[in-house]
Amino acid sequence: MPLAMPAGVLIALLFGLLVWVLPALKVTAALIGVAAAVTIIRRPLRGLLLFGLLATFLPYATVQIGIRTTVSEALLMLVWASLLAHRMFALYNAPLNLLRTERWLIALMLFSALPFVAGQLTVDAQGNGPINWVRWLFNLSPLFLVPRLLDDVKAREQMIIAMLLGTLLLLLLSIPVYLKNGNSAAIISIIGGLGYSNLDTLNEGLSGFSTRMGSPWTHPNITGGALAMLLPLAFCIGMTRQGAVRLLGLAVALLAAAGLLFSGSRGALVSLLLVMCWMARRRVPYVGRMLMAAGVLGALLLMLYPPLQVRLLGLFSNDDASTAVRFLEYSHFPEAMSMFPLGIGFKVDPPVPGTGLWGISNLWLNYIYKLGVAGMLLFVAVTVSWWKESRLPHDAVTLNRDTALWLGSRGGVMAALLSGIFDHYFSFTMVLIALFWLLLGLNLHEARRLQQLTPGVASESGERP
């Protein structure tokens, strides 16, 4: 590039000056950060792969970039800045043909400007609506990064390995800490040293989940949702790959199943079981045996692990606190709709302080709460379009090396949507929804690749025809 020499000289002079006025440790850290940023700007795929690793391992580690945001979101911003720079210097030409699902998501993003403005004017509460709105838009954007950076089989395989490796690191950190201490708050001091902030607030928030496993996802239900979304993918990759990738997939699938039980997320557990039943009905190999084995292991855990007994039996208890709260949320939800017909926007999360309203633990109703009925309908249009557009000819469901990514990502997106019946975390929870839209994009474009193959012929190598 013509600017490479003057830019290099400028950076060298700048850091030479900083060495004189700042401690060496800070200058070294800044130098490493700048070097990483320059590397990502030169090769944005590396930034997206790093996002896949960190978003599944340390999703809420924070960084100060004028505003405090998560490292994962900062990486997404840097990747988009890199693509913009490449386009300006004619190094990269973005694809212009959008799929129907991608066009629907753009419509949702554009429409969100209306609830954003309405919320800024009608919600009387402290909060940075513009920053929260921009962050949410960036968390939807991984869907559009898939055709730009993950447009070949090799890049998608690298992305899956990065996500599974990050999940493995999260589980290897969370499960031993939980087994040793037996409570969710034990991990706070560890993640505090890994870049997490607001530890006092986090400790207070976890005080009501003392018998459930904590993780870098901070909330046990978010942990359960993330594991339920990634477990089908890990299983399909583990059953169809060889060598280290096979071991990685199987290790993540096994540990994620244990982590899901320890997190005590009933909604995530039920949603994953429903997806497994769908896969078994479609005669996906080994899933029926896994369901039988899960039944036996579940019975043993119910006999030997009292916290799990409490969580599962609570599904059928009349005095379960979380179930009672959910029914109260549903009964008060019409009040929120009448008070904020266009949604509350992005200034705060439900419930709005000082209104006496309740929150809502449902993905689609949370869209109504934040964006109004029209926003929820647009989200439904996106997901319905994805379901139709990512189906294979004759609705074929087979598990081999060529279809593993498609089947695993499809099962993961289904698990996330089904968990939305019980929880709202896949609607506006930062970083988690970025992974959701990334997985949906991977499934969408894998389906497009498979649809272009000769009907009935799927190559074992996964290469384009």
Side-chain angles (χ1 to χ4, degrees):
M1 292 176 60
L3 295 179
M5 180 61 72
V9 172
L10 181 61
I11 292 174
L13 290 175
L14 176 61
F15 278 98
L17 179 62
L18 290 177
V19 169
W20 280 32
V21 298
L22 292 177
L25 184 60
K26 289 187 177 180
V27 175
T28 302
L31 183 60
I32 294 173
V34 170
V38 170
T39 300
I40 292 172
I41 290 175
R42 284 176 55 84
R43 299 187 181 277
L45 175 59
R46 295 182 181 178
L48 188 58
L49 294 177
L50 185 58
F51 164 80
L53 176 67
L54 290 181
T56 49
F57 176 36
L58 297 172
Y60 298 126
T62 58
V63 64
Q64 185 73 31
I65 53 172
I67 60 169
R68 181 159 289 279
T69 185
T70 65
V71 177
S72 302
E73 291 168 284
L75 283 169
L76 284 180
M77 298 175 191
L78 186 58
V79 168
W80 279 109
S82 171
L83 291 178
L84 178 61
H86 281 231
R87 187 167 183 82
M88 289 175 59
F89 291 100
L91 298 177
Y92 174 79
N93 293 317
L96 300 177
N97 296 325
L98 294 174
L99 300 179
R100 184 175 63 251
T101 303
E102 294 166 334
R103 293 196 295 269
W104 274 116
L105 185 60
I106 289 176
L108 174 61
M109 296 168 78
L110 292 174
F111 172 80
S112 68
L114 176 61
F116 161 67
V117 174
Q120 290 295 109
L121 297 176
T122 59
V123 174
D124 183 16
Q126 295 293 324
N128 198 328
I131 295 298
N132 293 335
W133 182 43
V134 171
R135 289 179 63 192
W136 181 71
L137 293 176
F138 269 106
N139 275 268
L140 302 187
S141 68
L143 178 68
F144 307 106
L145 290 174
V146 174
R148 288 164 170 80
L149 297 177
L150 305 177
D151 57 339
D152 59 71
V153 174
K154 180 180 178 182
R156 288 198 282 269
E157 188 82 2
Q158 291 174 336
M159 188 74 246
I160 294 306
I161 292 174
M163 294 171 65
L164 294 183
L165 182 58
T167 306
L168 179 64
L169 293 174
L170 177 137
L171 291 166
L172 291 177
L173 172 65
S174 305
I175 292 178
V177 171
Y178 175 70
L179 292 178
K180 179 181 178 181
N181 298 278
N183 63 78
S184 58
I187 202 170
I188 293 178
S189 60
I190 298 175
I191 61 178
L194 296 174
Y196 278 56
S197 58
N198 300 322
L199 298 183
D200 292 337
T201 303
L202 179 57
N203 190 28
E204 182 180 352
L206 290 176
S207 60
F209 307 102
S210 58
T211 61
R212 299 166 64 181
M213 184 183 78
S215 82
W217 282 110
T218 68
H219 194 290
N221 285 353
I222 300 179
T223 301
L227 295 179
M229 180 175 67
L230 294 170
L231 196 152
L233 179 62
F235 166 76
C236 292
I237 294 298
M239 297 305 298
T240 57
R241 299 302 191 265
Q242 299 296 327
V245 178
R246 177 184 178 89
L247 292 177
L248 175 63
L250 293 178
V252 171
L254 181 62
L255 291 175
L260 186 58
L261 291 173
F262 292 146
S263 71
S265 175
R266 297 172 296 182
L269 182 61
V270 171
S271 65
L272 182 61
L273 288 175
L274 289 175
V275 169
M276 292 179 67
C277 289
W278 173 79
M279 295 174 74
R281 184 173 178 271
R282 308 310 299 272
R283 300 185 182 278
V284 176
Y286 307 107
V287 175
R289 299 177 188 177
M290 287 181 62
L291 282 171
M292 296 176 61
V296 174
L297 291 175
L300 292 175
L301 280 172
L302 279 174
M303 291 187 290
L304 303 175
Y305 187 57
L308 184 61
Q309 298 173 12
V310 175
R311 291 297 298 167
L312 294 184
L313 293 178
L315 283 170
F316 312 101
S317 174
N318 292 326
D319 58 355
D320 179 66
S322 62
T323 303
V325 167
R326 279 169 168 78
F327 280 114
L328 286 172
E329 289 175 345
Y330 280 104
S331 65
H332 287 85
F333 185 70
E335 299 175 17
M337 290 183 63
S338 61
M339 187 175 295
F340 300 101
L342 294 177
I344 66 172
F346 295 86
K347 186 179 288 187
V348 294
D349 289 325
V352 178
T355 60
L357 299 174
W358 291 65
I360 191 69
S361 297
N362 179 284
L363 188 156
W364 295 274
L365 295 184
N366 198 45
Y367 263 94
I368 296 178
Y369 213 134
K370 296 276 285 187
L371 303 182
V373 174
M376 184 272 290
L377 292 177
L378 283 171
F379 174 73
V380 170
V382 175
T383 52
V384 170
S385 176
W386 157 75
W387 179 259
K388 293 180 178 179
E389 207 167 13
S390 62
R391 295 180 69 176
L392 296 186
H394 311 297
D395 200 22
V397 177
T398 57
L399 178 59
N400 54 44
R401 182 179 178 85
D402 203 45
T403 61
L405 174 52
W406 172 82
L407 182 58
S409 57
R410 192 168 181 82
V413 174
M414 288 174 60
L417 292 174
L418 287 170
S419 70
I421 300 172
F422 311 98
D423 283 309
H424 63 279
Y425 298 112
F426 284 100
S427 53
F428 294 90
T429 302
M430 304 303 183
V431 183
L432 181 66
I433 60 172
L435 289 173
F436 169 80
W437 289 107
L438 176 62
L439 200 64
L440 190 147
L442 287 168
N443 179 253
L444 191 64
H445 287 276
E446 268 294 290
R448 189 181 187 187
R449 179 185 68 81
L450 292 172
Q451 290 162 3
Q452 293 172 350
L453 294 173
T454 304
V457 178
S459 70
E460 287 297 314
S461 63
E463 298 295 329
R464 294 182 183 272

